[in-house]
Amino acid sequence: MSPSAAAPSASTRRLTVEREHELYETTLDMLREVGYDALTMDAIAARTHSSKATLYRQWGGKAQLVVAAIHSTKAHHGHKPDDTGSLRGDLGALADRLGSTSDRDTTMMSALGHAIHTNPDLKQAFHQVVIQPERENLKAVLQRAIDRGEIDADCPGNEFLFHMLVGAVIGQSLVDRCRVDAEYLKRYRDAVILPALNASLIPSPA
């Protein structure tokens, strides 16, 4: 039997869900503190009181551990986009969610920024774990708006909804050097996103 097909070792099997969550949270905390390039498996092992061998046996390497940690956090905190009955309301609910996590998410993106462009495995995994699920969520929001008759299916702006939201989050923190909150994102929604989509404004929550 090859090593890859062998049964998990006792130390791997003893890794509980709670312990795994603790390792993920610590890994992301350290990532935000020092950045991806300076983050080492030695440092993670020391901070989490783990064996480095166990970390490698469980995840294979730093890129895999970081991506698994991001995936765990997204799975824990994320959810399908709310259906409020209108596009404006759906985007408002999304603004509330993004505003509540913007500090941690922006710091994490800054920590990963250079590495994502230089590490193909990390880039691919990040897109699969973070980018694609968010794109799918926004596609669902757009499709509901099309079905309601709020926007046209062939509106050119539909393609750029995800880009507009990313730009809003990054732009506010980078240009204005302040925290991105839900109120800012809702003003951005009304001033930029809805006009770009030529949306018919159905009454909705703020």
Side-chain angles (χ1 to χ4, degrees):
M1 181 180 291
S2 66
S4 61
S9 67
S11 59
T12 301
R13 290 197 300 268
R14 285 199 299 269
L15 198 62
T16 65
V17 173
E18 293 77 15
R19 177 59 172 159
E20 193 172 84
H21 179 69
E22 178 188 349
L23 284 165
Y24 288 153
E25 287 294 318
T26 301
T27 297
L28 293 181
D29 286 343
M30 295 178 70
L31 174 67
R32 297 183 185 99
E33 291 171 9
V34 303
Y36 182 83
D37 290 336
L39 182 67
T40 67
M41 294 292 267
D42 283 314
I44 295 172
R47 178 81 68 90
T48 60
H49 306 290
S50 303
S51 160
K52 189 171 69 169
T54 297
L55 297 182
Y56 275 105
R57 187 162 49 242
Q58 185 74 26
W59 288 283
K62 181 173 72 171
Q64 294 90 333
L65 173 54
V66 167
V67 170
I70 294 171
H71 180 267
S72 174
T73 300
K74 291 295 179 183
H76 181 69
H77 296 291
H79 60 272
K80 293 298 181 182
D82 296 321
D83 184 354
T84 67
S86 75
L87 175 60
R88 187 170 184 270
D90 289 355
L91 292 177
L94 178 60
D96 289 331
R97 177 166 68 87
L98 292 176
S100 68
T101 62
S102 65
D103 284 345
R104 291 169 59 85
D105 288 347
T106 301
T107 303
M108 183 176 68
M109 284 301 301
S110 297
L112 287 172
H114 176 70
I116 286 178
H117 295 291
T118 59
N119 186 315
D121 292 337
L122 181 64
K123 181 178 182 179
Q124 179 180 3
F126 183 81
H127 273 256
Q128 290 176 343
V129 170
V130 178
I131 300 299
Q132 285 307 118
E134 292 297 344
R135 280 184 181 273
E136 293 303 315
N137 282 344
L138 286 176
K139 284 182 181 179
V141 169
L142 283 174
Q143 188 58 54
R144 288 201 299 257
I146 292 169
D147 293 342
R148 297 186 196 108
E150 294 175 277
I151 60 176
D152 294 329
D154 58 355
C155 174
N158 294 354
E159 177 185 355
F160 302 105
L161 175 56
F162 185 77
H163 302 76
M164 286 187 279
L165 284 170
V166 171
V169 173
I170 295 178
Q172 175 75 344
S173 59
L174 180 64
V175 175
D176 297 325
R177 293 182 294 179
C178 61
R179 180 182 182 276
V180 179
D181 59 19
E183 180 58 32
Y184 167 81
L185 291 174
K186 289 176 181 178
R187 288 191 289 110
Y188 187 93
R189 169 201 62 187
D190 293 341
V192 178
I193 294 178
L194 292 178
L197 300 179
N198 295 318
S200 300
L201 295 182
I202 295 176
S204 69

